[in-house]
Amino acid sequence: MPVHDLEKTFLDKIEREVKIEPRDWMPDAYRKNLIRQISQHAHSEIVGMLPEGNWITRAPSLKRKAILIAKAQDEAGHGLYLYSATETLGTSREETINDLHSGKAKYSSIFNYPTLSWADIGAIGWLVDGAAIINQVMLCRTSYGPYARAMVRICREESFHQRQGFEILLVLSRGSAEQKAMCQDALNRWWWPSLMMFGPRDSDSTHSDQSMKWKIKRMSNDELRQKFIDMIAEQVKVLGMTLPDPDLKWNEERKHYDFGAIDWAEFWNVVKGNGPCNKQRIEARTKAWDEGAWVREAAVAYAEKRKEKSKSALEAA
Ligand code: FAQ
């Protein structure tokens, strides 16, 4: 079929909300954009375990430790579904991971901030998972089938993560003066970086226009950010805490919360690799990759042995 007709079929599917599947024809730029977004999403899940890992050995009780381990394990699983979804687009896992280690591929800016107190684990669950869900609910309707299906499962787990984060903060907010202060301090430090998770303003977003046309993204960065702010500004009242933004105010006309200026210079600085923990995060991932080489080699050797065995069994039969 001529490329023109293939493209017409592709666009027609997008128009009719029919999912694009791995073996379907797709424009190179669509494939490339998906590889970029899905792999960066996968890297975010994997790097995202590191700030939480910092508290697994120091969780305040056995119950909290077990919950945190389970949460980090879920995130490893999300990363693996998403690496698999990236592979369906014709790229290898090694290539994708090398791009993370070399700094070519990004991961969410949020994971370059340190976790200084136990309350930070609550703030990550409530704010970071909360922001991730707002973004990912829209991605359940993304046009690429394997990505959309992975998102459905991931969202179910993320909403549990968000509730556990809120519950950690709720307990602290009803605790001693010291615990209340710890809770407020975590919110003060995580609020603005959480807003940055949604990406640059729509006017500065390079991929949004095309991604919206192809229905990879279904809502814009600013729309999602506003949705998140409206949700959190209400929920924070239950905690009896505040968000560190004096301009945060309900706007009756817009039926949304107004909010103060985001520090975009800080955002780009972190994205470019100069955040408080960027270096540490990549070093930890590279070290884990190098130290796991023997496991990958053993798995390949075992798979080859099994293949050989079943081949000989077939020949003998
Ligand atoms: N950090 O043109 P746009 C989680 C980059 S999962 C770093 O607007 P796009 C789970 C962007 O890549 C969190 N870089 O880009 C968890 C592009 O650069 P490039 C991750 C960012 O793709 C919870 C440039 O800026 N979620 O948290 C960021 O249309 C707790 C221009 O930007 C996803 O990845 C950023 N925040 O929109 C785990 C969701 N924002 O690639 C552990 C899927 C933008 O050209 C604990 N991704 N950039 O070099 C998306 O929905 C989109 O990719 C956006 C960005 C909305 C993130």
Side-chain angles (χ1 to χ4, degrees), residues 145-198:
Y147 194 22
R149 290 189 287 274
M151 280 298 117
V152 173
R153 183 156 175 188
I154 291 176
C155 279
R156 284 197 196 121
E157 293 178 352
E158 300 285 32
S159 62
F160 177 72
H161 294 173
Q162 193 197 13
R163 269 176 271 170
Q164 71 82 40
F166 187 78
E167 199 263 342
I168 290 177
L169 297 180
L170 192 63
V171 169
L172 293 175
S173 73
R174 291 175 179 174
S176 63
E178 213 179 346
Q179 286 169 321
K180 284 181 185 159
M182 192 200 285
C183 180
Q184 185 60 60
D185 172 61
L187 297 185
N188 292 349
R189 283 180 292 105
W190 288 90
W191 173 243
W192 292 105
S194 309
L195 299 189
M196 296 173 194
M197 282 178 73
F198 295 94

Coordinates of all heavy atoms in Angstrom, one line a residue, residues 145-198:
G145 N -2.2 1.1 21.9 CA -2.8 0.1 22.7 C -2.0 -0.4 23.9 O -2.5 -0.4 25.1
P146 N -0.7 -0.9 23.7 CA 0.0 -1.4 24.9 C 0.2 -0.4 26.0 O 0.3 -0.8 27.2 CB 1.4 -1.8 24.2 CG 1.0 -2.1 22.8 CD 0.0 -1.1 22.4
Y147 N 0.4 0.9 25.6 CA 0.6 1.9 26.7 C -0.7 2.1 27.4 O -0.7 2.2 28.7 CB 1.0 3.2 26.0 CG 1.6 4.3 26.9 CD1 2.1 4.1 28.1 CD2 1.6 5.6 26.4 CE1 2.7 5.1 28.9 CE2 2.1 6.7 27.2 CZ 2.7 6.4 28.4 OH 3.2 7.4 29.2
A148 N -1.8 2.2 26.7 CA -3.1 2.5 27.3 C -3.5 1.3 28.3 O -3.9 1.5 29.4 CB -4.2 2.6 26.3
R149 N -3.2 0.1 27.9 CA -3.5 -1.1 28.7 C -2.7 -1.1 30.0 O -3.1 -1.4 31.1 CB -3.5 -2.4 27.9 CG -4.6 -2.5 26.9 CD -4.6 -3.8 26.2 NE -3.5 -4.1 25.3 CZ -3.5 -3.7 24.0 NH1 -4.6 -3.1 23.5 NH2 -2.5 -4.0 23.2
A150 N -1.4 -0.8 29.8 CA -0.5 -0.8 31.0 C -1.0 0.3 32.0 O -1.0 0.1 33.2 CB 1.0 -0.4 30.6
M151 N -1.5 1.4 31.5 CA -1.9 2.5 32.3 C -3.1 2.1 33.2 O -3.2 2.6 34.3 CB -2.3 3.7 31.5 CG -1.1 4.5 31.0 SD -0.2 5.2 32.5 CE 1.3 4.4 32.3
V152 N -4.0 1.3 32.7 CA -5.2 1.0 33.4 C -4.8 0.3 34.7 O -5.2 0.6 35.8 CB -6.1 0.1 32.6 CG1 -7.3 -0.5 33.4 CG2 -6.6 0.8 31.4
R153 N -3.9 -0.7 34.6 CA -3.4 -1.5 35.7 C -2.6 -0.6 36.7 O -2.8 -0.6 37.9 CB -2.6 -2.6 35.2 CG -2.1 -3.5 36.3 CD -1.8 -4.9 35.8 NE -1.2 -5.7 36.8 CZ -0.7 -6.9 36.6 NH1 -0.7 -7.4 35.4 NH2 -0.2 -7.5 37.6
I154 N -1.7 0.2 36.1 CA -0.9 1.1 36.9 C -1.7 2.1 37.7 O -1.5 2.3 38.9 CB 0.2 1.8 36.0 CG1 1.2 0.8 35.5 CG2 0.9 3.0 36.8 CD1 2.2 1.4 34.5
C155 N -2.8 2.6 37.1 CA -3.6 3.6 37.8 C -4.3 3.0 39.1 O -4.4 3.7 40.1 CB -4.7 4.2 36.9 SG -4.0 5.5 35.9
R156 N -4.7 1.8 38.9 CA -5.3 1.1 40.1 C -4.4 1.1 41.3 O -4.7 1.4 42.4 CB -5.7 -0.3 39.7 CG -7.0 -0.3 38.9 CD -7.6 -1.7 38.9 NE -8.5 -1.7 37.8 CZ -8.5 -2.6 36.7 NH1 -7.6 -3.5 36.7 NH2 -9.3 -2.5 35.8
E157 N -3.1 0.7 41.0 CA -2.1 0.7 42.1 C -1.8 2.0 42.6 O -1.6 2.2 43.8 CB -0.9 -0.1 41.6 CG -1.3 -1.6 41.3 CD -0.1 -2.4 40.8 OE1 1.0 -1.9 40.5 OE2 -0.3 -3.7 40.7
E158 N -1.7 3.0 41.7 CA -1.3 4.4 42.1 C -2.3 5.0 43.1 O -2.0 5.7 44.0 CB -1.1 5.3 40.9 CG -0.1 4.9 39.9 CD 1.4 5.1 40.3 OE1 1.7 5.0 41.5 OE2 2.2 5.4 39.4
S159 N -3.6 4.6 42.9 CA -4.6 5.3 43.7 C -4.5 4.8 45.1 O -4.7 5.5 46.1 CB -6.0 5.2 43.1 OG -6.4 3.8 43.1
F160 N -4.1 3.5 45.3 CA -3.8 2.9 46.6 C -2.6 3.7 47.2 O -2.6 4.0 48.4 CB -3.5 1.4 46.4 CG -3.2 0.8 47.7 CD1 -4.1 0.6 48.7 CD2 -1.9 0.3 47.9 CE1 -3.8 0.0 49.9 CE2 -1.6 -0.3 49.1 CZ -2.5 -0.5 50.1
H161 N -1.6 3.9 46.4 CA -0.3 4.6 46.9 C -0.7 6.0 47.4 O -0.2 6.4 48.4 CB 0.7 4.8 45.7 CG 1.3 3.5 45.2 ND1 2.1 3.4 44.1 CD2 1.1 2.2 45.7 CE1 2.4 2.2 43.9 NE2 1.9 1.4 44.8
Q162 N -1.6 6.6 46.6 CA -1.9 8.0 47.1 C -2.6 8.0 48.4 O -2.3 8.8 49.3 CB -2.8 8.7 46.0 CG -2.8 10.2 46.3 CD -3.9 10.9 45.6 OE1 -4.9 10.3 45.1 NE2 -3.8 12.2 45.6
R163 N -3.5 7.1 48.6 CA -4.2 7.0 49.9 C -3.3 6.7 51.0 O -3.4 7.2 52.1 CB -5.4 6.0 49.8 CG -6.7 6.7 49.3 CD -7.8 5.7 49.2 NE -7.7 5.2 47.8 CZ -8.5 4.2 47.4 NH1 -9.3 3.6 48.2 NH2 -8.4 3.8 46.1
Q164 N -2.3 5.8 50.8 CA -1.4 5.5 51.9 C -0.5 6.7 52.2 O -0.2 7.0 53.4 CB -0.6 4.2 51.6 CG 0.5 4.3 50.6 CD 1.8 4.9 51.1 OE1 2.2 4.6 52.2 NE2 2.5 5.7 50.2
G165 N -0.2 7.5 51.2 CA 0.6 8.7 51.5 C -0.2 9.7 52.3 O 0.3 10.3 53.3
F166 N -1.5 9.9 52.0 CA -2.4 10.8 52.7 C -2.5 10.3 54.1 O -2.5 11.1 55.1 CB -3.7 10.9 52.0 CG -4.6 12.0 52.6 CD1 -4.4 13.3 52.3 CD2 -5.6 11.6 53.5 CE1 -5.2 14.3 52.8 CE2 -6.4 12.6 54.0 CZ -6.2 14.0 53.7
E167 N -2.7 9.0 54.3 CA -2.9 8.5 55.7 C -1.6 8.7 56.5 O -1.7 9.0 57.7 CB -3.2 7.0 55.6 CG -3.9 6.4 56.8 CD -2.9 5.7 57.7 OE1 -1.8 5.4 57.3 OE2 -3.2 5.5 58.9
I168 N -0.4 8.6 55.9 CA 0.8 8.9 56.7 C 0.7 10.4 57.2 O 1.0 10.7 58.4 CB 2.1 8.7 55.9 CG1 2.3 7.2 55.5 CG2 3.3 9.3 56.5 CD1 3.5 7.0 54.6
L169 N 0.4 11.3 56.3 CA 0.3 12.7 56.7 C -0.8 13.0 57.7 O -0.7 13.8 58.6 CB 0.2 13.6 55.4 CG 1.3 13.5 54.4 CD1 1.1 14.4 53.3 CD2 2.7 13.9 55.1
L170 N -1.9 12.3 57.5 CA -3.1 12.5 58.4 C -2.6 12.1 59.9 O -2.9 12.9 60.8 CB -4.2 11.6 58.0 CG -5.6 11.9 58.6 CD1 -6.1 13.3 58.3 CD2 -6.6 10.9 58.1
V171 N -1.9 11.0 60.0 CA -1.5 10.6 61.4 C -0.5 11.6 61.9 O -0.7 12.1 63.1 CB -0.8 9.2 61.3 CG1 -0.1 8.8 62.6 CG2 -1.9 8.1 61.0
L172 N 0.4 12.1 61.1 CA 1.4 13.1 61.6 C 0.7 14.4 61.9 O 1.0 15.1 62.9 CB 2.5 13.4 60.5 CG 3.4 12.2 60.2 CD1 4.4 12.6 59.1 CD2 4.3 11.9 61.5
S173 N -0.4 14.8 61.1 CA -1.0 16.1 61.3 C -1.9 16.1 62.6 O -2.3 17.1 63.1 CB -1.9 16.4 60.1 OG -3.1 15.6 60.1
R174 N -2.1 14.9 63.1 CA -2.9 14.8 64.4 C -2.0 14.4 65.6 O -2.4 14.0 66.6 CB -4.0 13.7 64.3 CG -5.0 14.1 63.3 CD -6.1 13.1 63.1 NE -7.1 13.5 62.2 CZ -8.1 12.8 61.7 NH1 -8.1 11.5 62.0 NH2 -9.0 13.3 60.9
G175 N -0.7 14.4 65.3 CA 0.3 14.0 66.3 C 0.8 15.2 67.2 O 0.1 16.2 67.4
S176 N 2.1 15.0 67.6 CA 2.7 16.0 68.5 C 3.1 17.3 67.7 O 3.0 17.2 66.4 CB 4.0 15.4 69.1 OG 4.9 15.2 68.0
A177 N 3.4 18.3 68.4 CA 3.8 19.6 67.7 C 4.9 19.3 66.7 O 5.0 19.8 65.6 CB 4.2 20.6 68.7
E178 N 5.9 18.4 67.1 CA 7.0 18.1 66.3 C 6.6 17.4 65.0 O 7.1 17.7 63.9 CB 7.9 17.2 67.1 CG 9.4 17.4 66.8 CD 10.3 16.5 67.6 OE1 9.7 15.9 68.6 OE2 11.4 16.4 67.3
Q179 N 5.6 16.5 65.2 CA 5.1 15.7 64.0 C 4.4 16.6 63.0 O 4.5 16.5 61.8 CB 4.3 14.5 64.5 CG 5.1 13.4 65.0 CD 4.2 12.3 65.7 OE1 3.3 12.7 66.4 NE2 4.6 11.1 65.6
K180 N 3.6 17.5 63.6 CA 2.8 18.5 62.8 C 3.8 19.3 62.0 O 3.6 19.6 60.8 CB 2.0 19.4 63.7 CG 0.7 18.7 64.2 CD -0.1 19.7 65.0 CE -1.3 18.9 65.6 NZ -1.9 19.5 66.7
A181 N 4.9 19.8 62.7 CA 5.9 20.6 62.0 C 6.6 19.9 60.9 O 6.8 20.4 59.8 CB 6.9 21.1 63.0
M182 N 6.8 18.6 61.1 CA 7.5 17.7 60.1 C 6.6 17.6 58.9 O 7.0 17.7 57.7 CB 7.7 16.3 60.7 CG 8.6 15.4 59.9 SD 8.4 13.7 60.4 CE 9.3 13.6 61.9
C183 N 5.3 17.4 59.1 CA 4.3 17.3 58.1 C 4.3 18.6 57.2 O 4.4 18.5 56.0 CB 2.9 17.0 58.7 SG 1.6 16.8 57.5
Q184 N 4.2 19.7 57.9 CA 4.1 21.0 57.2 C 5.4 21.2 56.4 O 5.3 21.7 55.2 CB 3.9 22.2 58.2 CG 3.7 23.5 57.5 CD 2.5 23.5 56.5 OE1 1.4 23.3 57.0 NE2 2.7 23.8 55.3
D185 N 6.5 20.9 57.0 CA 7.8 21.1 56.3 C 7.9 20.3 55.0 O 8.4 20.8 54.0 CB 9.0 20.7 57.2 CG 10.3 20.7 56.5 OD1 10.7 21.8 56.1 OD2 10.9 19.6 56.4
A186 N 7.4 19.0 55.1 CA 7.4 18.2 53.9 C 6.5 18.8 52.8 O 6.9 18.8 51.6 CB 6.9 16.8 54.2
L187 N 5.3 19.3 53.2 CA 4.4 19.9 52.2 C 5.1 21.1 51.5 O 5.0 21.3 50.3 CB 3.1 20.3 52.8 CG 2.3 19.1 53.3 CD1 0.9 19.5 53.8 CD2 2.1 18.0 52.3
N188 N 5.8 21.9 52.4 CA 6.4 23.1 51.9 C 7.5 22.8 50.8 O 7.6 23.5 49.8 CB 7.1 23.9 53.0 CG 6.1 24.5 54.0 OD1 4.9 24.5 53.7 ND2 6.6 24.9 55.1
R189 N 8.2 21.7 51.1 CA 9.3 21.3 50.1 C 8.8 20.6 48.9 O 9.4 20.7 47.8 CB 10.4 20.5 50.8 CG 11.3 21.3 51.7 CD 12.4 20.5 52.4 NE 11.8 19.6 53.4 CZ 11.7 18.3 53.3 NH1 12.1 17.7 52.2 NH2 11.2 17.6 54.2
W190 N 7.7 19.8 49.0 CA 7.3 19.0 47.8 C 6.2 19.6 46.9 O 6.0 19.2 45.8 CB 6.8 17.6 48.3 CG 7.9 16.8 48.8 CD1 8.4 16.7 50.1 CD2 8.8 15.9 48.0 NE1 9.5 15.9 50.1 CE2 9.8 15.4 48.9 CE3 8.8 15.6 46.6 CZ2 10.8 14.5 48.4 CZ3 9.8 14.7 46.2 CH2 10.8 14.2 47.1
W191 N 5.5 20.7 47.4 CA 4.4 21.3 46.7 C 4.9 21.8 45.3 O 4.3 21.3 44.3 CB 3.8 22.4 47.5 CG 2.7 23.2 46.7 CD1 2.8 24.5 46.3 CD2 1.5 22.7 46.2 NE1 1.6 24.8 45.6 CE2 0.9 23.7 45.5 CE3 0.9 21.4 46.2 CZ2 -0.4 23.5 44.9 CZ3 -0.3 21.2 45.6 CH2 -0.9 22.3 44.9
W192 N 5.8 22.7 45.3 CA 6.2 23.3 44.0 C 6.8 22.2 43.0 O 6.4 22.2 41.8 CB 7.1 24.5 44.1 CG 6.4 25.6 44.8 CD1 6.6 26.0 46.1 CD2 5.4 26.5 44.2 NE1 5.7 27.1 46.4 CE2 5.0 27.4 45.2 CE3 4.8 26.6 43.0 CZ2 4.0 28.4 45.0 CZ3 3.8 27.6 42.8 CH2 3.5 28.5 43.8
P193 N 7.7 21.4 43.5 CA 8.2 20.4 42.5 C 7.1 19.4 42.0 O 7.2 19.0 40.9 CB 9.2 19.6 43.4 CG 9.7 20.6 44.4 CD 8.5 21.4 44.7
S194 N 6.1 19.2 42.8 CA 5.0 18.4 42.3 C 4.3 19.1 41.1 O 3.9 18.4 40.2 CB 3.9 18.1 43.4 OG 4.4 17.6 44.5
L195 N 4.1 20.4 41.2 CA 3.4 21.1 40.1 C 4.3 21.0 38.9 O 3.7 21.1 37.7 CB 3.2 22.6 40.5 CG 2.3 22.8 41.7 CD1 2.0 24.3 41.8 CD2 1.0 22.0 41.6
M196 N 5.6 20.9 39.0 CA 6.5 20.9 37.9 C 6.4 19.5 37.2 O 6.8 19.4 36.0 CB 7.9 21.2 38.3 CG 8.1 22.6 38.8 SD 9.8 22.8 39.5 CE 9.6 24.3 40.4
M197 N 5.9 18.5 37.8 CA 5.8 17.2 37.2 C 5.0 17.2 35.9 O 5.2 16.4 35.1 CB 5.1 16.2 38.2 CG 6.0 15.7 39.3 SD 5.1 14.6 40.3 CE 4.9 13.1 39.3
F198 N 4.0 18.1 35.9 CA 3.2 18.2 34.7 C 3.9 18.7 33.4 O 3.2 18.8 32.4 CB 1.9 19.0 35.0 CG 1.1 18.3 36.1 CD1 1.2 18.6 37.4 CD2 0.2 17.3 35.7 CE1 0.5 18.0 38.4 CE2 -0.6 16.6 36.7 CZ -0.4 17.0 38.0

